[in-house]
Amino acid sequence: MNEEVMNTEVNTAEANAPETTQEAKAEPVKAEEPAQSMADLANELEASYKEFDQRHNDYQEQEGPDAQKWADLLEKMQDKTVIKVKIKEAVKAGVVAYIDDIQGFIPASHISTKYVEKLEDWVGKYLEVVPITVEPERKKLVLSGRVVMKEREAAEKAAKMAAVKVGAVLEGTVDSIKDYGAFVDLEAGVTGLLHVSQISTQRIKHPGVVLKEGQKVTVKVIGVGDGRVSLSMKALEQGEETPKEEVFNYKESGAATTGLASLLKDIKL
């Protein structure tokens, strides 16, 4: 076969080749991307941590070295976390204590549920407190021991109230006398209301006719609920079964109720 015939056959074969083959020949061949190894992933992770640390350091420099401490104090205030502190010094209108080297102020009215006469007497003592004001931007931290004490007293009072049962006969002391009855401090640790109608089998106009403050009395519990304890001396006089509790509404300086709020205002802590 001469050279001219061979060239003709080659050209004819290329012309008759499928179109996809020609396109495949025209496209460049892409090299396969190398698989990412565990070492590569570890390097990326390390780089991410470095970037995070750098940003964290920048934040600390901008916000100050105590930024995290203030953040923790904010969280403790939200969670009402009780913290034990040592009082370092007495200042005007309160005392000073520290939490993680952050200075906190405890106003005199928040040291205790009772009146504090000498602030100096508290220096060196330990006190359980909760943060009630946390302002990082003003470096202001206010603490309260009174809040902790009040919550515990309320819990203790509720437990004592739950222990008082209807029908129980208890000893008590008349704490105060009102037009509508007398408040009696019971041996169980709670205060109950002895209404004027439950003092005697005889009709009396005022509790002071029969009772006086400081007097020891024996009473019967005729009702417990809604934060109040109702008492009766009349039930013991008659030797009767526990009478049905009566709900009394009374007025004193515009207030009318035998609920917990009214009872508490006449209780001496």
Side-chain angles (χ1 to χ4, degrees):
M1 183 180 297
N2 57 36
E3 185 178 352
E4 182 179 353
V5 174
M6 290 179 63
N7 291 336
T8 301
E9 290 178 353
V10 171
N11 292 335
T12 302
E14 291 179 353
N16 293 331
E19 185 177 351
T20 55
T21 303
Q22 293 178 353
E23 291 178 353
K25 291 174 63 178
E27 291 182 355
V29 177
K30 294 182 178 179
E32 294 185 3
E33 295 182 359
Q36 193 173 33
S37 66
M38 290 300 294
D40 295 330
L41 290 174
N43 291 335
E44 289 183 8
L45 187 60
E46 182 65 25
S48 298
Y49 274 126
K50 286 182 179 179
E51 182 180 355
F52 170 79
D53 287 339
Q54 183 59 46
R55 291 181 180 179
H56 180 71
N57 291 335
D58 291 343
Y59 168 78
Q60 291 287 359
E61 290 176 3
Q62 293 172 7
E63 298 295 329
D66 294 331
Q68 186 57 52
K69 293 179 181 179
W70 284 102
D72 291 341
L73 288 169
L74 281 169
E75 185 176 354
K76 285 181 170 62
M77 181 178 67
Q78 294 168 357
D79 296 339
K80 298 181 179 179
T81 303
V82 177
I83 309 165
K84 189 174 184 179
V85 299
K86 184 177 182 179
I87 297 176
K88 295 295 184 180
E89 61 177 319
V91 295
K92 184 178 180 180
V95 294
V96 172
Y98 290 82
I99 300 177
D100 290 336
D101 297 325
I102 300 295
Q103 179 177 281
F105 175 66
I106 308 174
S109 60
H110 278 269
I111 295 175
S112 173
T113 53
K114 300 177 181 179
Y115 174 72
V116 176
E117 184 174 356
K118 293 183 179 180
L119 295 173
E120 293 79 9
D121 291 344
W122 286 83
V123 176
K125 293 183 178 180
Y126 287 90
L127 182 66
E128 290 187 327
V129 299
V130 291
I132 57 174
T133 301
V134 179
E135 297 180 4
E137 64 281 358
R138 298 176 59 190
K139 306 299 182 186
K140 182 179 180 181
L141 173 61
V142 182
L143 310 170
S144 175
R146 183 171 180 267
V147 170
V148 177
M149 294 179 186
K150 285 182 69 68
E151 289 185 354
R152 288 182 178 169
E153 288 174 1
E156 290 174 2
K157 190 178 294 293
K160 291 177 180 178
M161 188 80 72
V164 177
K165 305 298 181 184
V166 173
V169 177
L170 304 171
E171 299 295 324
T173 303
V174 177
D175 178 72
S176 60
I177 296 176
K178 308 295 180 183
D179 291 339
Y180 48 81
F183 286 97
V184 179
D185 288 339
L186 301 174
E187 59 186 10
V190 298
T191 296
L193 173 63
L194 178 60
H195 193 267
V196 63
S197 66
Q198 293 294 324
I199 293 176
S200 175
T201 53
Q202 299 179 359
R203 186 178 181 83
I204 58 176
K205 292 184 178 181
H206 191 277
V209 175
V210 178
L211 304 173
K212 61 181 180 180
E213 292 183 3
Q215 180 179 341
K216 299 292 183 180
V217 294
T218 301
V219 293
K220 189 171 187 176
V221 179
I222 62 173
V224 178
D226 298 328
R228 71 171 186 259
V229 176
S230 298
L231 308 171
S232 175
M233 293 173 62
K234 182 173 72 173
L236 294 175
E237 273 188 63
Q238 296 174 333
E240 61 185 33
E241 296 294 327
T242 302
K244 181 179 179 181
E245 179 188 8
E246 300 178 63
V247 178
F248 304 107
N249 292 320
Y250 55 87
K251 293 185 178 180
E252 179 189 9
S253 301
T257 176
T258 56
L260 180 60
S262 294
L263 291 177
L264 290 179
K265 75 176 183 179
D266 288 294
I267 296 176
K268 295 180 180 178
L269 297 176

